[in-house]
Amino acid sequence: MIGAQLPLAVQLRESASFESYYSGPNGEAVQALQALAVPVLLYGPPGSGRSHLLQAAARRHRAAYLPLAELEEHGPSLLEGLETAPAVCIDDLERVTPQRDWCIALLRLIDQLRAHGAGYVFAADAPPERLELALPDLRTRLGACSRFGLKPLSDDDRRELLRERAKARGLEMPEEVARWLLNHRSRDIPSLLEALERLDREALAAKRRLTLPFVQSVLDA
């Protein structure tokens, strides 16, 4: 029963939704996950947003979500019973594909999901042709998915994201503040949004606008 029970106990981040994801150049991937009319494979480096999107898809489609980086130790039996789920989202695929027993279990699960007409999504750090796979048949199955390589946000995208999220919090973010954040803080999206959350708290407490001197005083403190 481990496969039928454990994935349902994995907690999805409250912030992981399609509404909170800034799609930028990845709009087609988002649309494919929202519809989940065909199997989907996402790939991209850490920080590309693939886990956010998988969790958003899991929430939208009431899917079982399996982050294999956390669950690998349970072994391939983790996948047993998942064919009855409304949909399945498997993250960190590259962690297990070099192992033959995992590949066999994944092939079996894919065939079962297809037979039941259930949707499924995989995410990995590379496309199928660059993954280390113990069984070539799995490469064929993954290659049959609609594949989307997640593209990083440009600086313009990141600034627009910051301004949109600030506006949603009732804050106006001047262009010079957005540029300063990109040039002087960690540029990955989680870090930028964490900085924005801190600025929101401090601005509310001090009843201040997001002027550049105020932002610098808060984040450089």
Side-chain angles (χ1 to χ4, degrees), residues 16-33:
S17 67
F18 289 120
E19 291 72 24
S20 65
Y21 181 78
Y22 184 83
S23 58
N26 300 307
E28 289 187 10
V30 172
Q31 291 174 6
L33 290 172

Side-chain angles (χ1 to χ4, degrees), residues 162 166 169 171 173 177-178 180-181 185 191-220:
L162 285 169
R169 292 170 176 266
L171 298 170
M173 177 172 288
V177 170
W180 184 86
L181 285 169
R185 310 300 297 181
S191 295
L192 288 172
L193 295 181
E194 182 181 348
L196 178 58
E197 183 176 355
R198 181 179 173 189
L199 289 171
D200 185 21
R201 292 197 305 268
E202 296 295 334
L204 181 63
K207 296 182 172 56
R208 295 283 301 275
R209 294 182 296 110
L210 295 184
T211 63
L212 184 57
F214 175 73
V215 169
Q216 291 172 330
S217 69
V218 170
L219 296 181
D220 284 344

